[in-house]
Amino acid sequence: MSKAESSIREIRINPIVPSESVLVSTARGLRPRKEEAPVERDIREHVEKCPFCVGNESMTPPTVAAWPSAEHWEVRVVENLFPVLSPQQSGNALNFGLQKVIDGYGRHEVVIDHRNHGIGVSDMEVRHIEGMFSVFRDRMQQIYASDSRIKYVLVFKNFGAAAGASIAHSHSQIVAMPVVPENVVNELTCTRQYYEKFHQNIFHTLVDEALTFEATIYDRNLEKCDAKLMLDSILLNGASFLLLSNRLPVVLNGKYRFYL
């Protein structure tokens, strides 16, 4: 069997918003393409000219928040010098027929994730990651509490130049806006409907499934079980299929449905 024939082709349904789906086709990765050299990661602990490194605080806007303290910070929040939204209203609101433009009001902050210039999230201590997420939570709460015009706060992270990060030093971003994106509205609607129907939080259910479903990998070529493992650690190929221990309907290779 060729690699193309054994490739996975499937449509995966979003369990939270069932109307959303994504096409997955591993065969697309077999297309001929130009070889590209991998981008080397900057793993230096300190860079003299990096505005996010310790000792260069004067190269950024003033500290908005810090953990555990502003003087001995391990996580630091500053205003973004190039914000997508601004707390200063520009008066660019426009209503013309069916066309509507609202002012680009909001907030845009940078969270410097760590004092170490080249460290990645996977290399950080658990204690530090907990502190970083506490900063995310606190800033979100503070922004909501300080401005009733803010309806949605997003925390996101770009890692590496290919993802759009313009500075190598590990950092995240916080964007607060006066509108709620449609995908978030849909997610809230669907999670509310799930709760009303099953009286359970869908996110708790998804976590429980990932932690408790035992799976068996069966190799069609060898006609034997390869391994038993938890569902969240599975990677299948065309010669294997999945057996779940919870008696739910399972689609194997996109063709057959079994109730186990």
Side-chain angles (χ1 to χ4, degrees):
M1 183 181 295
S2 67
K3 289 185 178 180
E5 292 174 331
S6 63
S7 298
I8 295 175
R9 296 178 180 86
E10 58 192 24
I11 301 173
R12 297 183 182 178
I13 308 301
N14 184 346
I16 301 172
V17 185
S19 61
E20 296 181 356
S21 60
V22 61
L23 302 179
V24 177
S25 177
T26 57
R28 301 291 292 169
L30 301 176
R31 293 173 297 162
R33 65 180 64 194
K34 179 182 177 181
E35 291 291 334
E36 297 182 1
V39 179
E40 293 188 7
R41 177 179 156 193
D42 186 351
I43 59 173
R44 292 175 291 177
E45 292 188 9
H46 186 274
V47 176
E48 183 180 354
K49 295 184 178 180
C50 173
F52 294 169
C53 281
V54 175
N56 296 339
E57 287 81 0
S58 61
M59 298 172 66
T60 69
T63 300
V64 173
W67 177 86
S69 68
E71 184 178 0
H72 303 288
W73 66 269
E74 295 183 36
V75 179
R76 181 170 173 254
V77 183
V78 298
E79 293 284 350
N80 195 310
L81 282 175
F82 308 97
V84 296
L85 297 172
S86 171
Q88 306 299 324
Q89 291 186 292
S90 62
N92 289 331
L94 172 66
N95 287 288
F96 182 76
L98 296 176
Q99 309 301 318
K100 184 176 182 180
V101 177
I102 64 175
D103 196 64
Y105 175 82
R107 296 187 66 89
H108 191 176
E109 300 175 348
V110 175
V111 181
I112 304 171
D113 299 334
H114 203 285
R115 297 164 66 93
N116 186 316
H117 176 87
I119 195 171
V121 174
S122 59
D123 302 317
M124 297 179 188
E125 296 180 355
V126 172
R127 167 190 166 276
H128 185 92
I129 295 176
E130 291 174 346
M132 184 171 64
F133 272 83
S134 72
V135 171
F136 295 158
R137 177 200 60 205
D138 293 346
R139 282 306 297 152
M140 292 176 75
Q141 292 176 342
Q142 292 161 6
I143 292 172
Y144 279 127
S146 65
D147 192 340
S148 61
R149 291 170 293 183
I150 297 298
K151 304 302 180 184
Y152 181 68
V153 181
L154 169 69
V155 179
F156 69 96
K157 179 179 180 62
N158 295 330
F159 182 78
S166 56
I167 295 180
H169 194 125
S170 180
H171 64 282
S172 306
Q173 300 185 58
I174 300 175
V175 175
M177 59 190 75
V179 295
V180 182
E182 181 185 12
N183 64 307
V184 177
V185 173
N186 292 340
E187 186 173 293
L188 290 172
T189 299
C190 290
T191 54
R192 186 179 298 111
Q193 291 173 346
Y194 183 91
Y195 183 83
E196 291 172 350
K197 184 176 182 179
F198 298 104
H199 304 290
Q200 291 181 339
N201 184 315
I202 192 171
F203 298 103
H204 291 171
T205 302
L206 288 170
V207 171
D208 288 342
E209 287 181 357
L211 295 176
T212 62
F213 278 15
E214 181 183 86
T216 300
I217 302 298
Y218 182 84
D219 191 306
R220 283 190 171 87
N221 297 330
L222 299 178
E223 296 185 350
K224 70 174 185 178
C225 294
D226 276 356
K228 287 190 176 182
L229 65 166
M230 303 310 293
L231 184 59
D232 61 344
S233 62
I234 290 173
L235 179 64
L236 295 178
N237 57 48
S240 301
F241 65 81
L242 178 66
L243 301 178
L244 296 180
S245 63
N246 67 331
R247 298 189 59 80
L248 287 179
V250 183
V251 176
L252 306 181
N253 275 1
K255 297 181 180 179
Y256 308 106
R257 184 178 293 271
F258 294 88
Y259 289 84
L260 306 174

